Amino acid sequence: MEFLEPSTLLILGLVAFIAGFIDAVAGGGGMLTVPALLSIGLPPHIALGTNKLAATFASSTAALTYFKKKLFDPNFWKASFIATLFGATFGTLLVNYISTEWLEKGLPLIILAALYTIWPKSVTSEQNQLPEKTPTLKKQQIIQGLTLGFYDGVAGPGTGAFWTVSSMAMYRLNILLASGLAKAMNFTSNITSLITFAFLGHINWALGLTMGVCLMVGAFIGAHSAIRFGSKFIRPVFVTVVCILAAKLALDAWF
């Protein structure tokens, strides 16, 4: 990649900061960073690998913040972690061998359907309460982790939003706990894909690290804002991001 002008780096840094903030609150930051990387002339595979490096900074920062505020319990979600790890590994390894066209065309409808299932209802109380441990719960965690981990390895856009909506619907979590789980699992699949992209040499390290720092700052502020202001802040941001994400995916896949 040719040397970038300072103004271009500044714009990329600002985009990364905003994406980090959005990602920490609602997910979907990649819909800003990937097009930004493509706009400067990076080949698609390099743009995706570089974005994974930067996104790992954001997801790790957000996940750690939620963990410190006791909004994510690693022991409770152990099965989700293991399943996500396997799903992401499998998806990343298969990404060059399978067609994702059918998935891309169906994603906008799936996202909007998932949003509809949680929006009209009072999904949970404001209490940060985890569901009761049952054999069914563990099966749900495994299925969810394998499916969303695989999806993030194969495609990726909107993974954090998918984690949030599915966790609220499946476990009746409030949006803060669902966001904490989403960030932790998103980090799991991000780091898995990152290792694969690094092995294949599909990362611009200098650019990825630069954007990663900006994403990390945005994620730090976004996570703390979400925790401080609660569902009244997260829900409208989340719904807005999901609707924009669905519209973007529909335009890309259908037109």
Side-chain angles (χ1 to χ4, degrees):
M1 186 184 70
E2 297 179 1
F3 178 76
L4 293 177
E5 294 290 333
S7 58
T8 303
L9 280 174
L10 182 63
I11 292 171
L12 288 175
L14 180 60
V15 169
F17 172 81
I18 296 171
F21 182 92
I22 291 172
D23 216 39
V25 175
M31 67 181 177
L32 295 178
T33 52
V34 172
L37 288 167
L38 290 171
S39 72
I40 63 172
L42 286 183
H45 60 288
I46 301 294
L48 290 173
T50 302
N51 181 66
K52 280 296 181 186
L53 172 60
T56 301
F57 278 77
S59 58
S60 62
T61 301
L64 183 61
T65 301
Y66 280 93
F67 171 72
K68 286 183 175 180
K69 297 294 183 179
K70 298 182 179 180
L71 294 169
F72 172 69
D73 182 352
N75 290 325
F76 187 89
W77 300 106
K78 189 182 299 182
S80 298
F81 169 77
I82 295 172
T84 301
L85 184 65
F86 276 100
T89 301
F90 190 53
T92 305
L93 291 175
L94 284 185
V95 70
N96 292 325
Y97 303 100
I98 63 176
S99 172
T100 60
E101 183 178 355
W102 60 273
L103 185 62
E104 292 170 351
K105 290 184 182 300
L107 276 178
L109 298 177
I110 296 171
I111 290 177
L112 289 177
L115 183 64
Y116 175 78
T117 64
I118 67 165
W119 179 247
K121 312 165 189 175
S122 176
V123 178
T124 59
S125 69
E126 291 298 312
Q127 299 296 318
N128 296 326
Q129 186 174 353
L130 292 171
E132 183 181 350
K133 282 190 176 183
T134 63
T136 301
L137 176 70
K138 189 171 183 179
K139 290 177 184 176
Q140 288 177 315
Q141 290 178 342
I142 292 172
I143 292 170
Q144 184 190 30
L146 286 173
T147 302
L148 295 180
F150 177 81
Y151 167 68
D152 199 22
V154 170
T159 303
F162 270 127
W163 268 106
T164 302
V165 293
S166 61
S167 297
M168 292 173 73
M170 292 169 66
Y171 311 122
R172 316 312 296 171
L173 298 178
N174 68 22
I175 200 165
L176 263 179
L177 288 180
S179 295
L181 174 61
K183 302 308 168 281
M185 295 304 112
N186 211 180
F187 170 69
T188 301
S189 51
N190 274 345
I191 196 71
T192 303
S193 296
L194 173 62
I195 292 170
T196 304
F197 278 118
F199 179 77
L200 296 172
H202 293 168
I203 298 175
N204 182 304
W205 289 94
L207 187 54
L209 290 171
T210 300
M211 291 185 70
V213 171
C214 297
L215 273 159
M216 186 167 60
V217 175
F220 180 84
I221 296 173
H224 279 83
S225 298
I227 293 167
R228 179 178 179 184
F229 299 110
S231 62
K232 290 182 179 179
F233 171 71
I234 300 176
R235 188 176 292 275
V237 175
F238 177 74
V239 172
T240 301
V241 168
V242 169
C243 290
I244 293 172
L245 177 62
K248 181 185 183 302
L249 291 173
L251 286 172
D252 291 345
W254 300 346
F255 302 100

